[in-house]
Structures are given as structure tokens and as C-alpha cells.
Amino acid sequence: MTLRESTIEALTTWAAPDPAQDALRHAVLSFVLGREDACKRECVPGHVTASALVLDHTGTRVLLTLHPRFGRWLQLGGHCEDGDPDIVAAALREAAEESGIGGLRMDTGIAALHVHPVVCSLGVPTRHLDLQFIAHAPPDAEIVCSDESLDLRWWQLDVLPDDTDFGLAQLAAAASRRR
């Protein structure tokens, strides 16, 4: 199964939690079905990204990155790569690279979807069609800040930063519902 095929399967089988997420699921699925390059960052009209909200072993804290481009705290994630075998693996790779945590365990189903306009590495306006997942850190997790982050910090799941955007808030709500 390819990255694109796994994305289609994930979107097709996901039971969205509300009508707004279901409408977004249909829109993203239609985009991916219509574009062979939908999971490649070179796809200018927009492209699939994968992110993960990393929970500590108690499920009460989340690891957030202070994103250098956006200047606010976000979940870990980013562009899919050609070597990613599937969309869950892409989210896991991003979370591990950006956190330095080994042994992350991923929930396999989508937790939430978020689409946002961005000027990314393409240098032109595009959209990130972000498939958001939940990851669980082992009890002995040690974080290591990568060069893709200004800082990493654990936050209480129910006390996120003041400037939390809608995408992170909805992902945190999805994580709370799964607890």
C-alpha cells in the first residue's frame, strides 16, 4: 500500500466525530482522490501533511513545539516524505524526529483533520491538509529539541497555551475524548 492509498483508506474508514469534521473529511478525500501527487509537498494547490499530538504516559500532558515560522505552540508534524510507507508512519516519523523520543506508540486512526493556508517550503501560498493523530510516549521519555523547533515543552492537556489555534484545540479535544 502506498502513502496515498493509506491516506485514502484512513479518510474512508474514519468515523468523524461531528458534521464539520465529516464535511472536511469528504473534501480532503475528494482532493486526494483527484490528485496522484496529493501527498507530495510539491503539489502547489495543497498537500497532505501528518501530525501527532504526543501524550505522556499518563495521558494528562501533551508535548508541544514552539514553531519557528509561526511563533506559537503546535503539535509535532509536517510534510510527508517519499520513504513514508503510510500516513500513520509519516506522523510517527515527524513526531519522533521533532521530539527525540524513541518508542512512541501511535493510535492508528485519525483523531482530527485540519486544513490551513500556509506558505511552506514551496515559497508560494498553498494549503496543508493535515491528518492529525495521537501518539503515546513511554514512561521514560526524554525530549530532545530538534533544529525544527525553538523549544519543546510538556503542557497539561486541559491547560494549553493562550494562543492555541483551532487545529490544536480540536486535536486536544479529540485526545480528551479518547481517554
Side-chain angles (χ1 to χ4, degrees):
M1 178 177 299
T2 66
L3 176 62
R4 181 174 171 272
E5 290 167 344
S6 74
T7 300
I8 292 167
E9 181 178 315
L11 290 165
T12 301
T13 60
W14 182 49
D18 58 56
Q21 282 284 282
D22 197 45
L24 191 56
R25 180 184 71 82
H26 281 277
V28 173
L29 179 57
S30 294
F31 182 85
V32 176
L33 287 170
R35 302 266 330 195
E36 289 293 323
D37 62 348
C39 296
K40 297 184 177 292
R41 75 171 72 198
E42 295 82 16
C43 184
V44 174
H47 42 270
V48 170
T49 56
S51 67
L53 188 66
V54 176
L55 299 174
D56 72 355
H57 71 284
T58 69
T60 61
R61 296 186 309 156
V62 298
L63 184 63
L64 300 180
T65 177
L66 183 55
H67 197 282
R69 178 176 288 150
F70 300 115
R72 64 177 189 259
W73 295 96
L74 299 172
Q75 74 275 10
L76 308 174
H79 291 107
C80 299
E81 295 182 0
D82 289 338
D84 293 327
D86 59 56
I87 193 65
V88 176
L92 175 60
R93 177 188 48 75
E94 284 288 334
E97 285 176 0
E98 293 181 8
S99 70
I101 298 174
L104 288 172
R105 184 179 50 80
M106 296 291 292
D107 287 355
T108 55
I110 296 170
L113 296 175
H114 188 249
V115 175
H116 51 275
V118 64
V119 175
C120 64
S121 57
L122 295 172
V124 296
T126 187
R127 293 173 296 169
H128 281 174
L129 314 170
D130 196 34
L131 277 64
Q132 301 175 324
F133 297 89
I134 305 294
H136 303 271
D140 60 348
E142 293 184 29
I143 59 174
V144 178
C145 191
S146 76
D147 60 358
E148 297 181 42
S149 179
L150 297 175
D151 195 6
L152 288 173
R153 187 178 306 164
W154 291 104
W155 297 81
Q156 290 299 315
L157 178 58
D158 58 352
V159 186
L160 297 176
D162 290 337
D163 65 346
T164 296
D165 74 357
F166 177 76
L168 175 55
Q170 113 183 320
L171 181 54
S176 291
R177 283 192 303 273
R178 288 186 178 191
R179 282 182 41 198

